[in-house]
Amino acid sequence: MTTQVQHYIDGQFIDGNGKQQISVTNPANNQTIAMINAATVQEVETAIASAKSAFNSWKEVPVSERARVMFRYQHLLKEHHDELATILAQETGKTFDDAKGDVWRGIEVAEHACNIASLLMGETVENVARGIDTYSYSQPLGVCAGITPFNFPAMIPLWMFPLSIACGNTFILKPSEQDPMTPQRLVELFEEAGAPKGVLQLVHGDKTAVDVLLNHQDIKAISFVGSVGVAQYIYKTGTDNLKRVQAFAGAKNHCVVMPDANKQQVINNLVGASVGAAGQRCMALSVAIFVGAAKEWIPELKEAIAKVKPGLWDDKEAGYGPLISPAAKARVLSLIAQGKAEGASCLLDGSEFTVPGYESGNWVGPTVFSKVTTEMTIYKEEIFGPVLCCMESDTLEEAIEIVNASPYGNGTSIFTASGAAARKYQHEIEVGQVGINVPIPVPLPFFSFTGWKGSFYGDQHAYGKQAVRFYTETKTITARWFESQISDAEHTAPNMT
Ligand code: NAD
């Protein structure tokens, strides 16, 4: 049975009048499970107008009441955790456990938004001049928009709208058209949590809807997560239109394995961090640099990765699911072929893998290359598939040079027993999120998600204090009060410059 995906515009769930139809498929067999009538320009504009009008009253709602909506929301998300994970697993192909993790990482951000009163606290200094005090407030911007990718359809929308709305903004979410049903359920639960009509709007579609958001003068800030080319387009167009933009982009995350590391821990961690979620994570470890004698571990690592069997979302034995689309599969297979053609040694080849009975699905088996060099396409391109590229270096310094020469800077890890090596790595590495004996160092929501270089365009990052700064404007007030009536002559402005 095919479901009709719904927009949520001006407090109503609607099918929409768009003539452009987008099908949502089950990646395990590519059968259509839902249809989207892509939002028309007029529908997106109606959502913006409604969000603008809702802002006038929402920004006046006391902060503790806004926090109470978030408390109810995080409670509902927890209550519906399994249901959300099931929807998510069906449309992404992720295993059920992985889907639960996706939802959970989002719940943690909604939970963080409950703390909004403390997060909004400003600064005060008494007596900046005699009898004069200065203090600051964080005020919301207006209508904000979020454009999200397919690979975390719960976590990434939840990085954005709970904190933005808790700050007093209204918000328009344009999720990935490849898995829109999880975001739709997130929005239904937000309405159930008691958010007033118009505070959150949901529009489905692709570039047409995005371009309306990018060009509309009533959108004050844009949060984007997705691929490099689109992130650059969003950042350039949004800032050209004088909006605040944060754009999280693609990645190529390296780990460095020192010979003094715990071999078993390295192997166990690398298996999940490289091919887990079919490698469709922006923090996946897709390159492993083995320093000195650590290269002897590559065959054992390959054996461990070979044991991972992809499968259906509800197969408890499955290590990961299919890729999101036939196009994604074709891209990964072409990169694997290029790796072989360019001289990398393919130790494990998942190109021919399939799941019996689901041959039409987007399956790619775990794949491991060794002898990869920085000139090869499989090194330079983000593969976004279950493919690990192994490289070798003689020293830690050489490994650091390789990582720092990469145009990306989302995440990296070092595995070592040496505090000195770890300290050197954390200090010298030009990457925004560093793990020390931790494979996927995604910070919890009281920090921020701090990708660098070509993995991020903007200033303030997602969630944590940086998101509150992104979604608010600082107002600084300098005040002087008089104890009694004073003469006009005394009403002179103090010179503080
Ligand atoms: P994508 O760039 O194809 O799509 C992301 C969003 O942009 C979707 O909502 C899509 O509808 C929209 N979009 C696509 N093409 C557009 C265009 N030409 N103009 C305007 N809007 C457009 O990304 P994806 O394939 O859904 O997601 C995977 C990518 O996201 C990977 O590159 C991954 O590394 C990246 N990602 C990065 C992070 C991070 O934090 N840095 C997190 C998750 C995913």
Side-chain angles (χ1 to χ4, degrees), residues 193 238 351 369 378 400 421 470:
S351 308
F369 281 103
I378 49 168
I400 291 175
F470 180 76

Side-chain angles (χ1 to χ4, degrees), residues 86-142:
T86 305
I87 299 169
L88 194 154
Q90 285 170 345
E91 62 179 347
T92 61
K94 285 189 188 190
T95 63
F96 185 64
D97 281 351
D98 200 22
K100 277 196 86 166
D102 186 331
V103 178
W104 179 251
R105 296 309 296 256
I107 293 176
E108 287 180 317
V109 185
E111 208 161 67
H112 187 60
C114 298
N115 192 31
I116 193 64
S118 306
L119 288 167
L120 284 174
M121 279 181 178
E123 298 171 318
T124 63
V125 173
E126 192 183 34
N127 265 352
V128 291
R130 214 167 281 280
I132 295 183
D133 305 328
T134 298
Y135 46 94
S136 68
Y137 292 126
S138 296
Q139 294 195 335
L141 305 174

Side-chain angles (χ1 to χ4, degrees), residues 148-151 174 177 207 224-227 249-250 282 382 384 449:
T148 55
F150 80 83
N151 68 328
K174 204 303 284 171
E177 65 279 26
K207 184 171 163 53
F224 171 84
V225 181
S227 54
C282 63
E382 179 185 40
F384 227 52
F449 188 93

Side-chain angles (χ1 to χ4, degrees), residues 238-258:
T239 52
D240 236 25
N241 286 324
L242 306 178
K243 298 180 195 314
R244 224 173 249 204
V245 181
Q246 51 174 199
F248 296 82
K252 194 84 189 175
N253 305 307
H254 300 67
C255 80
V256 171
V257 182
M258 298 296 286

Side-chain angles (χ1 to χ4, degrees), residues 157-168:
L158 289 170
W159 277 5
M160 300 176 181
F161 71 80
L163 270 166
S164 177
I165 289 173
C167 285

